[in-house]
Coordinates of all heavy atoms in Angstrom, one line a residue:
M1 N 62.7 47.6 86.8 CA 61.9 46.8 87.8 C 62.2 45.4 87.6 O 62.1 44.8 86.4 CB 60.4 47.2 87.5 CG 59.5 46.4 88.4 SD 57.8 46.9 88.1 CE 57.1 46.5 89.6
P2 N 62.6 44.6 88.6 CA 62.9 43.2 88.4 C 61.6 42.4 88.1 O 60.5 42.7 88.5 CB 63.4 42.8 89.8 CG 63.0 43.9 90.7 CD 62.8 45.1 89.9
R3 N 61.8 41.4 87.3 CA 60.7 40.6 86.9 C 60.2 39.7 88.1 O 61.0 39.2 88.9 CB 61.2 39.7 85.8 CG 60.1 39.3 84.8 CD 60.7 38.7 83.6 NE 60.0 37.4 83.5 CZ 60.4 36.4 82.8 NH1 61.5 36.5 82.0 NH2 59.7 35.3 82.7
K4 N 58.9 39.5 88.2 CA 58.4 38.6 89.2 C 58.9 37.2 89.0 O 59.0 36.8 87.9 CB 56.9 38.6 89.2 CG 56.2 39.9 89.6 CD 54.7 39.8 89.8 CE 54.1 39.2 88.5 NZ 52.7 39.2 88.6
R5 N 59.1 36.6 90.1 CA 59.8 35.2 90.0 C 58.7 34.1 89.8 O 59.0 33.1 89.1 CB 60.5 34.9 91.3 CG 61.3 33.7 91.2 CD 62.4 33.7 92.2 NE 63.0 32.4 92.1 CZ 63.5 31.7 93.1 NH1 63.5 32.2 94.3 NH2 64.0 30.5 92.9
H6 N 57.5 34.4 90.3 CA 56.5 33.3 90.3 C 55.2 33.9 89.7 O 54.9 35.1 89.9 CB 56.2 32.7 91.6 CG 57.4 32.1 92.3 ND1 57.9 30.9 91.8 CD2 58.2 32.5 93.3 CE1 59.0 30.6 92.5 NE2 59.2 31.6 93.4
L7 N 54.4 33.0 89.2 CA 53.0 33.5 88.7 C 52.0 33.5 89.9 O 52.2 32.7 90.8 CB 52.5 32.5 87.6 CG 53.3 32.4 86.4 CD1 52.7 31.2 85.5 CD2 53.3 33.7 85.6
T8 N 51.1 34.3 89.8 CA 50.0 34.3 90.8 C 49.1 33.2 90.5 O 49.1 32.6 89.4 CB 49.2 35.6 90.8 OG1 48.6 35.8 89.5 CG2 50.1 36.8 91.0
I9 N 48.2 32.8 91.4 CA 47.3 31.8 91.2 C 46.3 32.2 90.1 O 46.0 31.3 89.2 CB 46.4 31.5 92.5 CG1 47.4 30.9 93.6 CG2 45.2 30.6 92.2 CD1 46.7 30.6 94.9
E10 N 46.0 33.4 90.0 CA 45.1 33.9 88.9 C 45.7 33.7 87.6 O 45.1 33.3 86.6 CB 44.7 35.4 89.2 CG 43.6 35.9 88.3 CD 43.2 37.3 88.7 OE1 42.6 37.4 89.8 OE2 43.6 38.2 88.0
E11 N 47.0 34.0 87.4 CA 47.8 33.9 86.2 C 47.8 32.4 85.8 O 47.7 32.0 84.7 CB 49.1 34.5 86.3 CG 49.1 36.0 86.4 CD 50.5 36.6 86.7 OE1 51.3 35.9 87.4 OE2 50.8 37.7 86.3
K12 N 48.1 31.5 86.8 CA 48.1 30.1 86.5 C 46.8 29.6 86.1 O 46.7 28.8 85.1 CB 48.5 29.3 87.8 CG 49.9 29.5 88.2 CD 50.2 28.8 89.5 CE 51.6 29.2 90.0 NZ 51.9 28.5 91.3
R13 N 45.7 30.0 86.7 CA 44.3 29.6 86.3 C 44.0 30.1 84.9 O 43.3 29.3 84.2 CB 43.3 30.1 87.3 CG 43.5 29.4 88.7 CD 42.3 29.5 89.6 NE 41.2 28.8 89.1 CZ 40.0 29.1 89.4 NH1 39.7 30.1 90.2 NH2 38.9 28.4 88.9
D14 N 44.4 31.3 84.5 CA 44.2 31.8 83.2 C 44.9 30.9 82.2 O 44.4 30.5 81.1 CB 44.7 33.2 83.0 CG 43.8 34.2 83.7 OD1 42.6 33.9 84.1 OD2 44.2 35.4 83.9
W15 N 46.1 30.5 82.4 CA 46.9 29.7 81.6 C 46.3 28.3 81.4 O 46.2 27.8 80.3 CB 48.4 29.6 82.1 CG 49.2 28.7 81.3 CD1 49.7 29.0 80.0 CD2 49.8 27.4 81.7 NE1 50.5 27.9 79.6 CE2 50.6 27.0 80.6 CE3 49.6 26.6 82.8 CZ2 51.2 25.7 80.6 CZ3 50.3 25.4 82.8 CH2 51.1 25.0 81.8
L16 N 45.8 27.7 82.6 CA 45.2 26.4 82.5 C 43.9 26.5 81.8 O 43.5 25.5 81.0 CB 45.0 25.9 84.0 CG 46.2 25.5 84.7 CD1 45.9 25.3 86.2 CD2 46.9 24.3 84.1
A17 N 43.1 27.6 81.9 CA 41.9 27.7 81.1 C 42.2 27.8 79.6 O 41.4 27.2 78.8 CB 41.2 29.0 81.6
A18 N 43.2 28.4 79.2 CA 43.6 28.4 77.8 C 43.8 27.0 77.3 O 43.5 26.7 76.2 CB 44.8 29.3 77.6
I19 N 44.5 26.2 78.1 CA 44.8 24.8 77.7 C 43.4 24.0 77.6 O 43.2 23.3 76.6 CB 45.7 24.1 78.7 CG1 47.1 24.7 78.6 CG2 45.8 22.6 78.4 CD1 48.0 24.2 79.7
F20 N 42.6 24.2 78.6 CA 41.3 23.5 78.6 C 40.4 23.9 77.5 O 39.7 23.0 77.0 CB 40.6 23.7 80.0 CG 39.4 22.9 80.2 CD1 39.5 21.5 80.4 CD2 38.2 23.5 80.1 CE1 38.3 20.8 80.5 CE2 37.0 22.8 80.3 CZ 37.1 21.4 80.5
R21 N 40.4 25.1 77.1 CA 39.5 25.6 76.1 C 40.1 25.5 74.6 O 39.6 26.0 73.7 CB 39.1 27.0 76.3 CG 38.3 27.1 77.6 CD 37.8 28.5 77.8 NE 37.0 28.6 79.0 CZ 37.2 29.4 80.0 NH1 38.3 30.1 80.0 NH2 36.5 29.4 81.1
D22 N 41.3 24.8 74.5 CA 42.0 24.7 73.2 C 41.1 24.1 72.2 O 40.6 23.0 72.4 CB 43.3 23.9 73.4 CG 43.9 23.6 72.1 OD1 44.1 24.6 71.3 OD2 44.2 22.4 71.8
E23 N 40.9 24.7 71.1 CA 40.1 24.2 70.0 C 40.9 23.9 68.7 O 40.4 23.4 67.8 CB 38.9 25.1 69.6 CG 37.9 25.2 70.8 CD 36.8 26.1 70.4 OE1 36.8 26.7 69.3 OE2 35.9 26.3 71.3
E24 N 42.2 24.3 68.8 CA 43.1 24.1 67.7 C 43.8 22.7 67.6 O 44.4 22.4 66.6 CB 44.1 25.2 67.7 CG 43.6 26.6 67.6 CD 44.6 27.7 67.7 OE1 45.8 27.3 67.8 OE2 44.2 28.9 67.8
G25 N 43.6 22.0 68.6 CA 44.2 20.6 68.7 C 45.6 20.6 69.1 O 46.3 19.6 68.9
I26 N 46.1 21.7 69.8 CA 47.5 21.7 70.2 C 47.6 20.7 71.4 O 48.6 20.1 71.5 CB 47.8 23.1 70.6 CG1 47.8 24.0 69.4 CG2 49.2 23.2 71.3 CD1 48.0 25.5 69.7
Y27 N 46.6 20.7 72.3 CA 46.7 19.9 73.5 C 45.8 18.7 73.4 O 44.7 18.8 72.8 CB 46.2 20.7 74.7 CG 47.1 21.9 75.0 CD1 46.7 23.2 74.6 CD2 48.4 21.8 75.5 CE1 47.6 24.3 74.7 CE2 49.2 22.9 75.7 CZ 48.8 24.1 75.3 OH 49.6 25.2 75.6
S28 N 46.2 17.6 73.9 CA 45.4 16.3 73.9 C 44.3 16.4 74.9 O 44.3 17.3 75.8 CB 46.3 15.1 74.2 OG 46.8 15.2 75.5
Q29 N 43.4 15.4 74.9 CA 42.3 15.4 75.9 C 42.9 15.1 77.3 O 42.4 15.6 78.3 CB 41.4 14.2 75.5 CG 40.5 14.5 74.3 CD 39.6 15.7 74.6 OE1 39.1 15.9 75.6 NE2 39.5 16.6 73.5
A30 N 44.0 14.4 77.3 CA 44.7 14.1 78.7 C 45.2 15.4 79.2 O 45.1 15.7 80.4 CB 45.8 13.1 78.5
D31 N 45.9 16.2 78.3 CA 46.3 17.5 78.8 C 45.2 18.4 79.3 O 45.4 19.1 80.3 CB 47.1 18.3 77.6 CG 48.4 17.6 77.2 OD1 49.0 16.9 78.1 OD2 48.8 17.8 76.1
K32 N 44.1 18.4 78.6 CA 42.9 19.2 79.0 C 42.4 18.7 80.3 O 42.1 19.5 81.2 CB 41.9 19.2 77.9 CG 42.2 19.9 76.7 CD 41.1 19.8 75.7 CE 41.5 20.5 74.4 NZ 40.4 20.5 73.4
F33 N 42.4 17.4 80.5 CA 41.9 16.8 81.8 C 42.9 17.2 82.9 O 42.4 17.6 84.0 CB 41.8 15.3 81.7 CG 41.3 14.7 83.0 CD1 40.0 14.8 83.4 CD2 42.2 14.1 83.8 CE1 39.5 14.2 84.5 CE2 41.7 13.5 85.0 CZ 40.4 13.6 85.4
K34 N 44.1 17.1 82.7 CA 45.1 17.5 83.7 C 45.0 19.0 84.1 O 45.1 19.4 85.2 CB 46.5 17.2 83.2 CG 46.9 15.8 83.2 CD 48.2 15.5 82.6 CE 48.5 14.1 82.3 NZ 49.8 13.9 81.6
A35 N 44.8 19.8 83.0 CA 44.6 21.3 83.3 C 43.3 21.5 84.1 O 43.4 22.3 85.1 CB 44.5 22.0 81.9
M36 N 42.3 20.8 83.9 CA 41.1 20.9 84.6 C 41.2 20.5 86.1 O 40.8 21.2 87.0 CB 39.9 20.1 84.0 CG 38.6 20.2 84.8 SD 37.3 19.2 84.1 CE 37.9 17.6 84.4
V37 N 42.0 19.4 86.3 CA 42.2 18.9 87.6 C 43.1 20.0 88.4 O 42.8 20.3 89.6 CB 42.9 17.5 87.6 CG1 43.4 17.2 89.0 CG2 42.0 16.5 87.1
E38 N 44.1 20.5 87.8 CA 45.0 21.4 88.4 C 44.3 22.7 88.7 O 44.4 23.4 89.8 CB 46.2 21.7 87.5 CG 47.3 22.6 88.2 CD 47.9 22.0 89.4 OE1 47.8 20.8 89.7 OE2 48.4 22.9 90.2
D39 N 43.4 23.2 87.8 CA 42.6 24.4 88.0 C 41.7 24.2 89.2 O 41.5 25.1 90.0 CB 41.8 24.7 86.8 CG 41.0 26.0 86.9 OD1 41.7 27.0 87.2 OD2 39.8 25.9 86.9
T40 N 41.1 23.0 89.3 CA 40.2 22.7 90.5 C 41.0 22.8 91.8 O 40.6 23.4 92.8 CB 39.6 21.4 90.3 OG1 38.8 21.3 89.1 CG2 38.6 21.0 91.5
R41 N 42.2 22.3 91.8 CA 43.1 22.3 93.0 C 43.4 23.8 93.3 O 43.4 24.1 94.5 CB 44.3 21.5 92.7 CG 45.2 21.3 94.0 CD 46.5 20.6 93.7 NE 47.4 21.4 92.9 CZ 48.2 22.5 93.4 NH1 48.1 22.8 94.7 NH2 49.0 23.1 92.7
L42 N 43.7 24.6 92.3 CA 44.0 26.0 92.6 C 42.8 26.8 93.1 O 42.9 27.6 93.9 CB 44.6 26.6 91.3 CG 46.0 26.2 90.9 CD1 46.4 26.7 89.6 CD2 47.0 26.6 92.0
A43 N 41.7 26.4 92.5 CA 40.4 27.1 93.0 C 40.2 26.8 94.5 O 39.8 27.7 95.2 CB 39.2 26.7 92.1
E44 N 40.4 25.5 94.9 CA 40.2 25.1 96.3 C 41.2 25.9 97.1 O 40.9 26.3 98.2 CB 40.4 23.6 96.4 CG 39.2 22.8 95.9 CD 39.5 21.3 95.9 OE1 40.6 20.9 96.2 OE2 38.5 20.6 95.6
L45 N 42.5 26.0 96.7 CA 43.5 26.7 97.4 C 43.1 28.2 97.6 O 43.3 28.8 98.7 CB 44.8 26.6 96.7 CG 46.0 27.3 97.4 CD1 46.4 26.6 98.7 CD2 47.2 27.2 96.4
E46 N 42.6 28.8 96.5 CA 42.1 30.2 96.6 C 41.0 30.3 97.6 O 41.0 31.3 98.4 CB 41.6 30.6 95.2 CG 42.4 31.6 94.5 CD 41.8 32.0 93.2 OE1 40.9 31.4 92.7 OE2 42.3 33.0 92.7
A47 N 40.1 29.4 97.6 CA 38.9 29.5 98.6 C 39.4 29.3 100.0 O 39.0 30.0 100.9 CB 37.9 28.4 98.3
Q48 N 40.4 28.4 100.2 CA 41.0 28.3 101.6 C 41.7 29.5 102.0 O 41.6 29.9 103.2 CB 42.0 27.1 101.6 CG 41.3 25.7 101.5 CD 42.3 24.6 101.3 OE1 43.5 24.9 101.2 NE2 41.9 23.4 101.3
Q49 N 42.4 30.2 101.1 CA 43.1 31.4 101.5 C 42.1 32.5 101.8 O 42.3 33.3 102.8 CB 44.0 31.9 100.3 CG 45.2 31.0 100.2 CD 46.1 31.5 99.0 OE1 45.6 32.2 98.1 NE2 47.3 31.0 99.0
R50 N 41.0 32.6 101.1 CA 40.0 33.6 101.3 C 39.3 33.3 102.7 O 39.1 34.2 103.5 CB 38.8 33.6 100.3 CG 39.1 34.5 99.1 CD 37.8 34.7 98.3 NE 37.2 33.4 97.9 CZ 37.4 32.7 96.9 NH1 38.3 33.1 96.0 NH2 36.8 31.6 96.6
E51 N 39.0 32.1 103.0 CA 38.4 31.7 104.3 C 39.4 32.0 105.5 O 38.9 32.5 106.5 CB 38.1 30.2 104.3 CG 36.9 29.9 103.5 CD 36.6 28.4 103.4 OE1 37.3 27.6 104.1 OE2 35.8 28.0 102.6
A52 N 40.6 31.8 105.3 CA 41.6 32.0 106.3 C 41.8 33.6 106.5 O 42.1 34.0 107.7 CB 43.0 31.4 105.9
A53 N 41.6 34.3 105.5 CA 41.7 35.8 105.7 C 40.5 36.4 106.3 O 40.6 37.5 106.9 CB 42.0 36.4 104.3
E54 N 39.4 35.8 106.3 CA 38.2 36.4 106.8 C 38.1 36.0 108.3 O 38.4 34.9 108.8 CB 36.9 35.8 106.2 CG 36.8 36.1 104.7 CD 35.6 35.3 104.1 OE1 34.9 34.6 104.8 OE2 35.4 35.6 102.9
P55 N 37.6 37.0 109.1 CA 37.5 36.7 110.6 C 36.3 35.7 110.7 O 35.4 35.7 109.9 CB 37.1 38.0 111.2 CG 36.6 38.8 110.1 CD 37.3 38.3 108.8
P56 N 36.3 34.8 111.7 CA 35.2 33.9 111.9 C 33.9 34.6 112.1 O 33.8 35.7 112.7 CB 35.6 33.2 113.2 CG 37.0 33.5 113.5 CD 37.4 34.7 112.7
A57 N 32.8 34.1 111.6 CA 31.5 34.7 111.6 C 31.0 34.8 113.0 O 30.2 35.7 113.3 CB 30.5 33.9 110.7
H58 N 31.4 34.0 113.9 CA 30.9 33.9 115.3 C 31.8 34.7 116.3 O 31.6 34.7 117.5 CB 30.8 32.5 115.8 CG 32.1 31.8 115.8 ND1 32.7 31.2 114.7 CD2 32.9 31.5 116.8 CE1 33.8 30.7 115.0 NE2 34.0 30.8 116.3
A59 N 32.8 35.4 115.8 CA 33.7 36.1 116.6 C 33.0 37.3 117.3 O 32.2 38.0 116.7 CB 34.9 36.7 115.8
I60 N 33.3 37.5 118.6 CA 32.7 38.6 119.3 C 33.6 39.8 119.2 O 34.8 39.7 119.4 CB 32.6 38.2 120.8 CG1 31.7 37.0 121.0 CG2 32.1 39.4 121.6 CD1 31.7 36.4 122.4
P61 N 33.1 40.9 118.8 CA 33.9 42.1 118.6 C 34.6 42.5 119.9 O 34.1 42.4 121.0 CB 32.9 43.2 118.2 CG 31.7 42.5 117.7 CD 31.7 41.2 118.4
P62 N 35.9 42.9 119.8 CA 36.7 43.3 121.0 C 36.0 44.4 121.8 O 36.2 44.4 123.1 CB 38.0 43.7 120.4 CG 38.0 43.3 119.0 CD 36.6 43.0 118.6
D63 N 35.3 45.3 121.2 CA 34.8 46.4 122.0 C 33.7 45.9 123.0 O 33.5 46.4 124.1 CB 34.2 47.5 121.2 CG 33.2 47.1 120.2 OD1 33.3 45.9 119.7 OD2 32.3 47.9 119.9
I64 N 33.0 44.8 122.6 CA 32.0 44.2 123.5 C 32.6 43.5 124.6 O 32.2 43.5 125.8 CB 31.0 43.3 122.7 CG1 30.2 44.2 121.7 CG2 30.1 42.5 123.6 CD1 29.3 43.4 120.8
L65 N 33.7 42.7 124.2 CA 34.4 42.0 125.3 C 35.0 42.9 126.4 O 35.1 42.5 127.5 CB 35.6 41.2 124.6 CG 35.1 40.0 123.7 CD1 36.3 39.4 123.1 CD2 34.4 39.0 124.5
S66 N 35.3 44.1 126.1 CA 35.9 45.0 127.0 C 34.9 45.4 128.1 O 35.3 45.9 129.2 CB 36.5 46.2 126.4 OG 35.5 47.0 125.8
H67 N 33.6 45.3 127.8 CA 32.6 45.7 128.8 C 32.2 44.5 129.7 O 31.4 44.7 130.6 CB 31.3 46.1 128.0 CG 31.6 47.4 127.2 ND1 31.8 48.6 127.8 CD2 31.6 47.6 125.9 CE1 32.0 49.5 126.9 NE2 31.9 48.9 125.7
L68 N 32.7 43.3 129.5 CA 32.3 42.2 130.3 C 33.0 42.2 131.7 O 34.2 42.7 131.7 CB 32.7 40.9 129.6 CG 31.9 40.5 128.4 CD1 32.4 39.2 127.8 CD2 30.4 40.3 128.7
P69 N 32.4 41.8 132.7 CA 33.1 41.8 134.0 C 34.2 40.7 134.0 O 34.1 39.8 133.2 CB 32.0 41.4 135.0 CG 30.9 40.7 134.2 CD 31.0 41.3 132.8
P70 N 35.1 40.7 135.0 CA 36.1 39.7 135.0 C 35.5 38.4 135.4 O 34.4 38.3 136.0 CB 37.1 40.2 136.1 CG 36.3 41.2 136.9 CD 35.3 41.8 136.0
P71 N 36.2 37.2 135.0 CA 35.6 35.9 135.4 C 35.6 35.7 136.9 O 36.4 36.3 137.6 CB 36.6 35.0 134.7 CG 37.8 35.8 134.3 CD 37.4 37.2 134.3
L72 N 34.6 34.9 137.3 CA 34.5 34.6 138.7 C 35.5 33.6 139.1 O 36.0 32.8 138.4 CB 33.1 34.0 139.0 CG 31.9 34.9 138.8 CD1 30.6 34.1 139.0 CD2 31.9 36.0 139.7
N73 N 35.9 33.7 140.4 CA 36.8 32.7 141.0 C 36.0 31.4 141.3 O 34.8 31.5 141.5 CB 37.4 33.2 142.3 CG 38.4 34.4 142.1 OD1 39.0 34.4 141.1 ND2 38.4 35.3 143.0
P74 N 36.6 30.3 141.3 CA 35.9 29.0 141.6 C 35.1 29.1 142.9 O 34.1 28.5 143.0 CB 37.0 27.9 141.6 CG 38.1 28.5 140.8 CD 38.0 30.0 141.0
A75 N 35.7 29.8 143.9 CA 35.0 29.9 145.2 C 33.8 30.7 145.1 O 32.8 30.5 145.9 CB 36.0 30.4 146.2
D76 N 33.8 31.7 144.3 CA 32.6 32.6 144.1 C 31.5 32.0 143.3 O 30.4 32.5 143.4 CB 33.0 33.9 143.4 CG 34.0 34.7 144.3 OD1 34.1 34.5 145.5 OD2 34.8 35.5 143.7
R77 N 31.7 31.0 142.6 CA 30.7 30.4 141.8 C 29.6 29.7 142.6 O 28.5 29.4 142.1 CB 31.3 29.4 140.8 CG 32.1 30.1 139.7 CD 32.6 29.2 138.7 NE 33.6 29.9 137.9 CZ 34.4 29.3 137.0 NH1 34.3 28.0 136.8 NH2 35.2 30.1 136.3
G78 N 29.9 29.2 143.8 CA 28.9 28.7 144.7 C 28.7 27.3 144.5 O 28.0 26.5 144.6

């Protein structure tokens, strides 16, 4: 099986969390801050993808639309 070429957002966030939670002193405070900023950006991206995948809350189901009469002509509107 070929190896995946890119990490998923979840894998990236796990890696960034490990940097942010480092207690051994491997990473500097600046590195931790950068990891936190990048994690926040990825979390926003994830939220945007979830919102885009969901149908709008105000959408009218197609089966209801099929029962509506055709639109009126401008002359019929009176």
